[in-house]
Structures are given as C-alpha cells and as structure tokens.
Amino acid sequence: MLDILPALLWVIAAVIAVNICSITAIRGRFFSKDHRDVYPVRWSIVALHFTSLIFGALPYPIYEMFKNGFSGRFQRFYEHAGWPSAVLMIALIAAELVFMYLQARNGMHGEMERKLSQAAGE
C-alpha cells in the first residue's frame, strides 16, 4: 500500500489544482461574454491552493525516504516519471496562481465599480 502513496498524493494534488483553475475561471468570468459582478478569491480557494502545493510536493520526499521498501516495479516507475511529474505539478501550481491572480484582478475592478455606483447613486 505504501508503494502507491506518492502517486496517490500527486493525483490528489493535480485534481485539486485543476479544480482550482476551473473554479476561479468560472467565478472570475474569464470565458463569459456577459458582464456580471466578479468577487475576490475566497479564502477557501487560497487554502486549497496551499493544500495542493503540499500534496504536490510530498510525493518526492516520501519516495526518497521509503524507496527501499518499494517494489522494483514501482521504483522504476517513480524514477521514470519523477522529472516529468515535477514539471507538470509546477505548471499546474503556476496555473493556479495565474487564475487566482486574474480573478482577484477582475474582483478588484468589480469592487471598484460597485463602490462607484453606490457613491453615484447616493
């Protein structure tokens, strides 16, 4: 069971990263033609980002600590997939940051529009 732990953690981190990108794209209205209010990034999304960062980094030290206990098949797999998986995880985490930044920027503009419309209405 310990053999599969690094891969499982990596997959969980990748799923979280893709979900964060999807959620921020939807809430940030990146691909929407209608103009609705956009709100800043929620703290729960920021917490999920840190969770994906930790889960994405953990497989590598876990492999290094326990590689002698892994079967030869899993050792070959992890050694073969190590660098590509690290590059992909870094790209996913960078994409999370870009999507969260874009939503925050759109949310800032939306907040300014709401404040200005309230001031003009008074």
Side-chain angles (χ1 to χ4, degrees), residues 1-2 13 27 37 39 43 49-50 52 54 62 65 73 78-79 81 84 98 102 108 112 121:
M1 180 61 187
L2 187 61
R27 288 186 182 166
D37 286 343
Y39 293 94
W43 284 107
H49 167 68
F50 283 112
S52 73
I54 291 168
I62 287 175
M65 287 189 308
R73 183 175 169 203
Y78 289 136
E79 288 172 6
V98 167
L102 291 173
M108 179 187 66
M112 185 59 71

PDB file of all heavy atoms in Angstrom, residues 1-2 13 27 37 39 43 49-50 52 54 62 65 73 78-79 81 84 98 102 108 112 121:
ATOM      1  N   MET A   1       0.823  -1.203   0.000  1.00  0.00           N
ATOM      2  CA  MET A   1       0.000   0.000   0.000  1.00  0.00           C
ATOM      3  C   MET A   1       0.858   1.253   0.000  1.00  0.00           C
ATOM      4  O   MET A   1       0.506   2.235  -0.597  1.00  0.00           O
ATOM      5  CB  MET A   1      -0.932  -0.029   1.211  1.00  0.00           C
ATOM      6  CG  MET A   1      -1.831   1.164   1.328  1.00  0.00           C
ATOM      7  SD  MET A   1      -2.894   1.285  -0.120  1.00  0.00           S
ATOM      8  CE  MET A   1      -3.673   2.825   0.170  1.00  0.00           C
ATOM      9  N   LEU A   2       2.016   1.190   0.659  1.00  0.00           N
ATOM     10  CA  LEU A   2       2.898   2.353   0.691  1.00  0.00           C
ATOM     11  C   LEU A   2       3.458   2.642  -0.697  1.00  0.00           C
ATOM     12  O   LEU A   2       3.797   3.788  -1.006  1.00  0.00           O
ATOM     13  CB  LEU A   2       4.030   2.121   1.695  1.00  0.00           C
ATOM     14  CG  LEU A   2       4.946   3.301   1.974  1.00  0.00           C
ATOM     15  CD1 LEU A   2       4.147   4.458   2.568  1.00  0.00           C
ATOM     16  CD2 LEU A   2       6.045   2.904   2.919  1.00  0.00           C
ATOM     17  N   ALA A  13      -3.261  16.072  -5.646  1.00  0.00           N
ATOM     18  CA  ALA A  13      -2.801  17.452  -5.855  1.00  0.00           C
ATOM     19  C   ALA A  13      -3.164  17.946  -7.250  1.00  0.00           C
ATOM     20  O   ALA A  13      -3.586  19.102  -7.414  1.00  0.00           O
ATOM     21  CB  ALA A  13      -1.298  17.539  -5.631  1.00  0.00           C
ATOM     22  N   ARG A  27     -15.745  31.635 -11.569  1.00  0.00           N
ATOM     23  CA  ARG A  27     -16.066  32.778 -10.702  1.00  0.00           C
ATOM     24  C   ARG A  27     -15.471  34.079 -11.215  1.00  0.00           C
ATOM     25  O   ARG A  27     -15.994  35.152 -10.939  1.00  0.00           O
ATOM     26  CB  ARG A  27     -15.586  32.526  -9.287  1.00  0.00           C
ATOM     27  CG  ARG A  27     -16.413  31.501  -8.566  1.00  0.00           C
ATOM     28  CD  ARG A  27     -15.985  31.385  -7.138  1.00  0.00           C
ATOM     29  NE  ARG A  27     -16.766  30.364  -6.451  1.00  0.00           N
ATOM     30  CZ  ARG A  27     -16.438  29.862  -5.292  1.00  0.00           C
ATOM     31  NH1 ARG A  27     -15.349  30.288  -4.670  1.00  0.00           N
ATOM     32  NH2 ARG A  27     -17.186  28.943  -4.738  1.00  0.00           N
ATOM     33  N   ASP A  37     -21.070  40.748 -11.851  1.00  0.00           N
ATOM     34  CA  ASP A  37     -20.110  41.057 -10.797  1.00  0.00           C
ATOM     35  C   ASP A  37     -19.142  39.905 -10.569  1.00  0.00           C
ATOM     36  O   ASP A  37     -19.529  38.738 -10.574  1.00  0.00           O
ATOM     37  CB  ASP A  37     -20.840  41.354  -9.483  1.00  0.00           C
ATOM     38  CG  ASP A  37     -21.517  42.714  -9.503  1.00  0.00           C
ATOM     39  OD1 ASP A  37     -21.163  43.537 -10.361  1.00  0.00           O
ATOM     40  OD2 ASP A  37     -22.389  42.952  -8.645  1.00  0.00           O
ATOM     41  N   TYR A  39     -16.286  38.653  -7.780  1.00  0.00           N
ATOM     42  CA  TYR A  39     -15.854  38.877  -6.405  1.00  0.00           C
ATOM     43  C   TYR A  39     -14.438  38.354  -6.216  1.00  0.00           C
ATOM     44  O   TYR A  39     -13.973  37.500  -6.962  1.00  0.00           O
ATOM     45  CB  TYR A  39     -16.828  38.186  -5.436  1.00  0.00           C
ATOM     46  CG  TYR A  39     -18.183  38.839  -5.467  1.00  0.00           C
ATOM     47  CD1 TYR A  39     -19.196  38.352  -6.291  1.00  0.00           C
ATOM     48  CD2 TYR A  39     -18.440  39.967  -4.716  1.00  0.00           C
ATOM     49  CE1 TYR A  39     -20.430  38.961  -6.350  1.00  0.00           C
ATOM     50  CE2 TYR A  39     -19.676  40.586  -4.766  1.00  0.00           C
ATOM     51  CZ  TYR A  39     -20.667  40.084  -5.581  1.00  0.00           C
ATOM     52  OH  TYR A  39     -21.883  40.696  -5.638  1.00  0.00           O
ATOM     53  N   TRP A  43     -11.098  32.743   0.595  1.00  0.00           N
ATOM     54  CA  TRP A  43     -10.018  32.175   1.395  1.00  0.00           C
ATOM     55  C   TRP A  43      -9.989  30.657   1.304  1.00  0.00           C
ATOM     56  O   TRP A  43      -8.930  30.040   1.450  1.00  0.00           O
ATOM     57  CB  TRP A  43     -10.125  32.634   2.850  1.00  0.00           C
ATOM     58  CG  TRP A  43      -9.661  34.046   2.997  1.00  0.00           C
ATOM     59  CD1 TRP A  43     -10.438  35.149   3.206  1.00  0.00           C
ATOM     60  CD2 TRP A  43      -8.323  34.524   2.906  1.00  0.00           C
ATOM     61  NE1 TRP A  43      -9.657  36.275   3.253  1.00  0.00           N
ATOM     62  CE2 TRP A  43      -8.356  35.922   3.085  1.00  0.00           C
ATOM     63  CE3 TRP A  43      -7.090  33.917   2.694  1.00  0.00           C
ATOM     64  CZ2 TRP A  43      -7.213  36.702   3.055  1.00  0.00           C
ATOM     65  CZ3 TRP A  43      -5.951  34.692   2.667  1.00  0.00           C
ATOM     66  CH2 TRP A  43      -6.017  36.070   2.846  1.00  0.00           C
ATOM     67  N   HIS A  49      -5.266  25.993  -2.458  1.00  0.00           N
ATOM     68  CA  HIS A  49      -4.008  26.167  -3.192  1.00  0.00           C
ATOM     69  C   HIS A  49      -2.835  25.662  -2.349  1.00  0.00           C
ATOM     70  O   HIS A  49      -1.979  24.939  -2.853  1.00  0.00           O
ATOM     71  CB  HIS A  49      -3.807  27.629  -3.566  1.00  0.00           C
ATOM     72  CG  HIS A  49      -2.429  27.936  -4.033  1.00  0.00           C
ATOM     73  ND1 HIS A  49      -1.923  27.459  -5.226  1.00  0.00           N
ATOM     74  CD2 HIS A  49      -1.437  28.650  -3.469  1.00  0.00           C
ATOM     75  CE1 HIS A  49      -0.686  27.876  -5.364  1.00  0.00           C
ATOM     76  NE2 HIS A  49      -0.362  28.602  -4.312  1.00  0.00           N
ATOM     77  N   PHE A  50      -2.796  26.034  -1.087  1.00  0.00           N
ATOM     78  CA  PHE A  50      -1.712  25.562  -0.228  1.00  0.00           C
ATOM     79  C   PHE A  50      -1.788  24.050  -0.029  1.00  0.00           C
ATOM     80  O   PHE A  50      -0.755  23.373   0.048  1.00  0.00           O
ATOM     81  CB  PHE A  50      -1.720  26.294   1.117  1.00  0.00           C
ATOM     82  CG  PHE A  50      -1.165  27.679   1.013  1.00  0.00           C
ATOM     83  CD1 PHE A  50      -1.977  28.784   1.190  1.00  0.00           C
ATOM     84  CD2 PHE A  50       0.164  27.886   0.716  1.00  0.00           C
ATOM     85  CE1 PHE A  50      -1.463  30.057   1.084  1.00  0.00           C
ATOM     86  CE2 PHE A  50       0.693  29.155   0.601  1.00  0.00           C
ATOM     87  CZ  PHE A  50      -0.128  30.257   0.789  1.00  0.00           C
ATOM     88  N   SER A  52      -2.888  21.884  -2.262  1.00  0.00           N
ATOM     89  CA  SER A  52      -2.365  21.257  -3.477  1.00  0.00           C
ATOM     90  C   SER A  52      -0.849  21.414  -3.551  1.00  0.00           C
ATOM     91  O   SER A  52      -0.156  20.518  -4.039  1.00  0.00           O
ATOM     92  CB  SER A  52      -3.031  21.842  -4.723  1.00  0.00           C
ATOM     93  OG  SER A  52      -2.576  23.146  -4.984  1.00  0.00           O
ATOM     94  N   ILE A  54       1.227  21.460  -0.968  1.00  0.00           N
ATOM     95  CA  ILE A  54       1.801  20.476  -0.044  1.00  0.00           C
ATOM     96  C   ILE A  54       1.650  19.064  -0.590  1.00  0.00           C
ATOM     97  O   ILE A  54       2.605  18.282  -0.598  1.00  0.00           O
ATOM     98  CB  ILE A  54       1.158  20.620   1.349  1.00  0.00           C
ATOM     99  CG1 ILE A  54       1.607  21.939   1.985  1.00  0.00           C
ATOM    100  CG2 ILE A  54       1.512  19.442   2.243  1.00  0.00           C
ATOM    101  CD1 ILE A  54       0.830  22.325   3.206  1.00  0.00           C
ATOM    102  N   ILE A  62       8.641  11.564   0.184  1.00  0.00           N
ATOM    103  CA  ILE A  62       8.140  10.252   0.620  1.00  0.00           C
ATOM    104  C   ILE A  62       8.827   9.151  -0.173  1.00  0.00           C
ATOM    105  O   ILE A  62       9.244   8.128   0.385  1.00  0.00           O
ATOM    106  CB  ILE A  62       6.601  10.168   0.483  1.00  0.00           C
ATOM    107  CG1 ILE A  62       5.945  11.011   1.569  1.00  0.00           C
ATOM    108  CG2 ILE A  62       6.118   8.726   0.562  1.00  0.00           C
ATOM    109  CD1 ILE A  62       4.446  11.097   1.469  1.00  0.00           C
ATOM    110  N   MET A  65      12.420   8.760   1.090  1.00  0.00           N
ATOM    111  CA  MET A  65      12.526   8.147   2.414  1.00  0.00           C
ATOM    112  C   MET A  65      12.242   6.646   2.386  1.00  0.00           C
ATOM    113  O   MET A  65      12.867   5.889   3.112  1.00  0.00           O
ATOM    114  CB  MET A  65      11.568   8.828   3.396  1.00  0.00           C
ATOM    115  CG  MET A  65      12.019  10.209   3.813  1.00  0.00           C
ATOM    116  SD  MET A  65      11.058  10.922   5.163  1.00  0.00           S
ATOM    117  CE  MET A  65       9.387  10.773   4.604  1.00  0.00           C
ATOM    118  N   ARG A  73       9.222  -2.638  -9.466  1.00  0.00           N
ATOM    119  CA  ARG A  73       8.347  -2.085 -10.492  1.00  0.00           C
ATOM    120  C   ARG A  73       7.973  -0.638 -10.170  1.00  0.00           C
ATOM    121  O   ARG A  73       8.032   0.238 -11.031  1.00  0.00           O
ATOM    122  CB  ARG A  73       7.101  -2.961 -10.584  1.00  0.00           C
ATOM    123  CG  ARG A  73       6.136  -2.566 -11.640  1.00  0.00           C
ATOM    124  CD  ARG A  73       5.010  -3.570 -11.703  1.00  0.00           C
ATOM    125  NE  ARG A  73       3.952  -3.059 -12.538  1.00  0.00           N
ATOM    126  CZ  ARG A  73       2.707  -3.444 -12.459  1.00  0.00           C
ATOM    127  NH1 ARG A  73       2.358  -4.371 -11.589  1.00  0.00           N
ATOM    128  NH2 ARG A  73       1.804  -2.949 -13.248  1.00  0.00           N
ATOM    129  N   TYR A  78       8.555   5.345 -10.581  1.00  0.00           N
ATOM    130  CA  TYR A  78       8.790   6.654  -9.966  1.00  0.00           C
ATOM    131  C   TYR A  78      10.062   7.316 -10.494  1.00  0.00           C
ATOM    132  O   TYR A  78      10.095   8.529 -10.673  1.00  0.00           O
ATOM    133  CB  TYR A  78       8.842   6.536  -8.441  1.00  0.00           C
ATOM    134  CG  TYR A  78       7.488   6.251  -7.824  1.00  0.00           C
ATOM    135  CD1 TYR A  78       7.358   5.299  -6.824  1.00  0.00           C
ATOM    136  CD2 TYR A  78       6.357   6.932  -8.231  1.00  0.00           C
ATOM    137  CE1 TYR A  78       6.119   5.031  -6.257  1.00  0.00           C
ATOM    138  CE2 TYR A  78       5.119   6.667  -7.673  1.00  0.00           C
ATOM    139  CZ  TYR A  78       5.005   5.719  -6.682  1.00  0.00           C
ATOM    140  OH  TYR A  78       3.784   5.471  -6.125  1.00  0.00           O
ATOM    141  N   GLU A  79      11.098   6.542 -10.747  1.00  0.00           N
ATOM    142  CA  GLU A  79      12.320   7.124 -11.286  1.00  0.00           C
ATOM    143  C   GLU A  79      12.124   7.593 -12.727  1.00  0.00           C
ATOM    144  O   GLU A  79      12.704   8.585 -13.152  1.00  0.00           O
ATOM    145  CB  GLU A  79      13.466   6.126 -11.176  1.00  0.00           C
ATOM    146  CG  GLU A  79      13.925   5.952  -9.741  1.00  0.00           C
ATOM    147  CD  GLU A  79      14.930   4.838  -9.562  1.00  0.00           C
ATOM    148  OE1 GLU A  79      15.378   4.253 -10.573  1.00  0.00           O
ATOM    149  OE2 GLU A  79      15.262   4.541  -8.401  1.00  0.00           O
ATOM    150  N   ALA A  81       9.106   8.567 -14.000  1.00  0.00           N
ATOM    151  CA  ALA A  81       8.097   9.628 -14.035  1.00  0.00           C
ATOM    152  C   ALA A  81       8.432  10.811 -13.136  1.00  0.00           C
ATOM    153  O   ALA A  81       7.674  11.782 -13.098  1.00  0.00           O
ATOM    154  CB  ALA A  81       6.739   9.055 -13.615  1.00  0.00           C
ATOM    155  N   PRO A  84       9.196  14.449 -15.192  1.00  0.00           N
ATOM    156  CA  PRO A  84       8.002  14.943 -15.888  1.00  0.00           C
ATOM    157  C   PRO A  84       6.852  15.284 -14.931  1.00  0.00           C
ATOM    158  O   PRO A  84       6.159  16.276 -15.135  1.00  0.00           O
ATOM    159  CB  PRO A  84       7.613  13.777 -16.813  1.00  0.00           C
ATOM    160  CG  PRO A  84       8.874  13.025 -17.026  1.00  0.00           C
ATOM    161  CD  PRO A  84       9.643  13.153 -15.749  1.00  0.00           C
ATOM    162  N   VAL A  98      -1.909  31.962 -11.585  1.00  0.00           N
ATOM    163  CA  VAL A  98      -2.343  32.863 -12.654  1.00  0.00           C
ATOM    164  C   VAL A  98      -3.858  33.039 -12.611  1.00  0.00           C
ATOM    165  O   VAL A  98      -4.369  34.170 -12.669  1.00  0.00           O
ATOM    166  CB  VAL A  98      -1.882  32.337 -14.037  1.00  0.00           C
ATOM    167  CG1 VAL A  98      -2.580  33.071 -15.167  1.00  0.00           C
ATOM    168  CG2 VAL A  98      -0.379  32.441 -14.163  1.00  0.00           C
ATOM    169  N   LEU A 102      -5.872  36.481 -11.825  1.00  0.00           N
ATOM    170  CA  LEU A 102      -6.832  37.074 -12.763  1.00  0.00           C
ATOM    171  C   LEU A 102      -8.195  37.277 -12.116  1.00  0.00           C
ATOM    172  O   LEU A 102      -8.846  38.304 -12.335  1.00  0.00           O
ATOM    173  CB  LEU A 102      -6.948  36.201 -14.012  1.00  0.00           C
ATOM    174  CG  LEU A 102      -5.711  36.183 -14.909  1.00  0.00           C
ATOM    175  CD1 LEU A 102      -5.888  35.161 -16.017  1.00  0.00           C
ATOM    176  CD2 LEU A 102      -5.434  37.561 -15.471  1.00  0.00           C
ATOM    177  N   MET A 108     -11.221  43.012  -8.087  1.00  0.00           N
ATOM    178  CA  MET A 108     -10.874  44.361  -7.677  1.00  0.00           C
ATOM    179  C   MET A 108     -11.595  45.383  -8.555  1.00  0.00           C
ATOM    180  O   MET A 108     -12.150  46.370  -8.057  1.00  0.00           O
ATOM    181  CB  MET A 108      -9.376  44.564  -7.775  1.00  0.00           C
ATOM    182  CG  MET A 108      -8.918  45.955  -7.381  1.00  0.00           C
ATOM    183  SD  MET A 108      -7.174  46.234  -7.707  1.00  0.00           S
ATOM    184  CE  MET A 108      -7.163  46.169  -9.490  1.00  0.00           C
ATOM    185  N   MET A 112     -14.512  48.011  -7.311  1.00  0.00           N
ATOM    186  CA  MET A 112     -14.432  49.450  -7.585  1.00  0.00           C
ATOM    187  C   MET A 112     -15.690  49.930  -8.300  1.00  0.00           C
ATOM    188  O   MET A 112     -16.221  50.995  -7.969  1.00  0.00           O
ATOM    189  CB  MET A 112     -13.193  49.748  -8.431  1.00  0.00           C
ATOM    190  CG  MET A 112     -12.966  51.225  -8.647  1.00  0.00           C
ATOM    191  SD  MET A 112     -12.773  52.159  -7.115  1.00  0.00           S
ATOM    192  CE  MET A 112     -11.190  51.600  -6.593  1.00  0.00           C
ATOM    193  N   GLY A 121     -25.010  56.776  -6.821  1.00  0.00           N
ATOM    194  CA  GLY A 121     -26.433  56.611  -6.518  1.00  0.00           C
ATOM    195  C   GLY A 121     -26.875  57.406  -5.309  1.00  0.00           C
ATOM    196  O   GLY A 121     -28.045  57.733  -5.144  1.00  0.00           O
TER     197      GLY A 121
END
